[in-house]
Amino acid sequence: MVEVPHLFGVVQPGEPSVQVVHKPRAIGLRAEASLDAPVVRSAERPAQLEAREHGYELLSAVVYGAREGWYRVRFLDAGEDQLVWLAPAEAGVYRDLQQLVTENPSHLTTEWDRRFYASAQPGSPTHSVRSMRPEIDVEVVRSASVDGEIWFLLLALEPGPCTGQPEIERVVGAGWVPGHAANGEPNLWFYSRGC
């Protein structure tokens, strides 16, 4: 995820809420990660970029690829749905999935196929989790990059660290999970507003 200050604003030090510190203006989005590439879309409103919270009521654009300071983001407007490139000059702070899930309380998403792998390899043996909950809280033990894909070694916890019942928390599964499902969506995510 990458901040886009001209659309989403930024938090000023000492301020309790988001403040737009730049004069709002249209953001040119390009077909390729190059200043020589044509501008194919122009984002003028926050709703025109797919976004999620990276913190409490703090938005960042969802990133589908990164290359030398350029970020591939999704433009959405009036039936348009296109992956485009955001230039480095328009980008703010970038946070990758590894940073987001290791620095915050996290959970497995409904995209996850409910399988844990014995190792960070697609062909390794798997086993299923015992929990019936659709989203399962996890502790990230470590991560590894395998052939360009991020994997996480996880402990699945129930009832979870955010329930306020640590005395009954138990591990209901453990193993490796790829960072993304087959459809490209994250297999695990974080609680952007904390517990």
Side-chain angles (χ1 to χ4, degrees), residues 114-129:
R114 304 187 75 79
R115 292 186 298 164
F116 285 111
Y117 290 78
S119 65
Q121 297 288 334
S124 69
T126 65
H127 64 278
S128 298
V129 68

Side-chain angles (χ1 to χ4, degrees), residues 114 116 128-133 136 158 170-173:
R114 304 187 75 79
F116 285 111
S128 298
V129 68
R130 298 186 307 260
S131 175
M132 297 302 290
R133 294 176 53 216
I136 301 166
E158 215 170 65
R170 62 190 173 93
V171 174
V172 295

Side-chain angles (χ1 to χ4, degrees), residues 126-148:
T126 65
H127 64 278
S128 298
V129 68
R130 298 186 307 260
S131 175
M132 297 302 290
R133 294 176 53 216
E135 293 184 348
I136 301 166
D137 291 343
V138 294
E139 178 181 326
V140 178
V141 178
R142 65 183 170 123
S143 62
S145 181
V146 178
D147 297 328

Side-chain angles (χ1 to χ4, degrees), residues 9-10 32 42 74 95 130 139:
V10 294
E32 299 294 331
S42 179
R74 185 178 301 279
R95 295 169 181 87
R130 298 186 307 260
E139 178 181 326

